[in-house]
Amino acid sequence: MAEHTGSEAATVNQVKVKGIEQNTCSTCGRSVPAYDVISYGSPETGYRELCTKCFNTEVAESAGLAGFQHVDFAPVEIVDCDSQPHVFHFRTRLFGPGIAVDAFEVWDGSPAGYQFQVIGEPEDDPFGLLGRLMERIRRALSIKHLKMGSLGLQIANQVVRGRIDWDDAEDGRVPLLNIDGRDVTWDELGRMLMTFEGWHFQLEIRDKSEES
């Protein structure tokens, strides 16, 4: 498994994205992507559909975070080591004592494909968190864990990293995996593993905010 550096490293371009379903924030009235809306409230008081900016503002006020400022990051296009472009969207959310910044691709209006997250303190510089996130994305896109061989999709080396998702086709009986930004079924991974019949393996599971 080779890492690509220099001219082969992932490159970044800011992009404008159209055609994503929009919802209206009940507080500020802005039209925002559906994935950027949070249902906020309680059964007693009812729920409101808030954009993440309004949601973060209310959470900051209730937590006494007077200095917190929400920042919206524009989508960017990053090219992987196979020269394939990936458009990443960003979402920032306050939660309890921390702040999470997510980067993800969007398929059919929902987060999918490559997805990454960093967690920091509410007082952290949001652009510093974005910088950490971008470096993580670049490193991930500089490596391919799968390759196409004579027997179809195969493991490129002896390490596979990815994300565990829900597989509607299997009703959650087995997971759907996302490796190299593409969906891989449990059966497909099993077929690829048979290339290593008789070998040992180690399965390590980490939180999405941790780098694998």
Side-chain angles (χ1 to χ4, degrees), residues 132-149:
R132 285 171 47 196
L133 189 57
M134 294 298 292
E135 286 303 315
R136 181 172 296 180
I137 295 172
R138 290 190 184 97
R139 286 193 294 270
L141 267 62
S142 71
I143 301 171
K144 289 294 183 180
H145 300 89
L146 304 179
K147 65 180 180 180
M148 190 61 66

Side-chain angles (χ1 to χ4, degrees), residues 92-113:
T92 302
R93 291 188 184 181
L94 278 171
F95 67 95
I99 184 171
V101 182
D102 293 283
F104 48 87
E105 296 182 272
V106 173
W107 299 351
D108 298 326
S110 299

Side-chain angles (χ1 to χ4, degrees), residues 77-107:
E77 180 182 277
I78 305 179
V79 178
D80 67 21
C81 57
D82 286 338
S83 299
Q84 297 300 310
H86 301 266
V87 175
F88 286 92
H89 302 253
F90 301 94
R91 182 174 55 205
T92 302
R93 291 188 184 181
L94 278 171
F95 67 95
I99 184 171
V101 182
D102 293 283
F104 48 87
E105 296 182 272
V106 173
W107 299 351

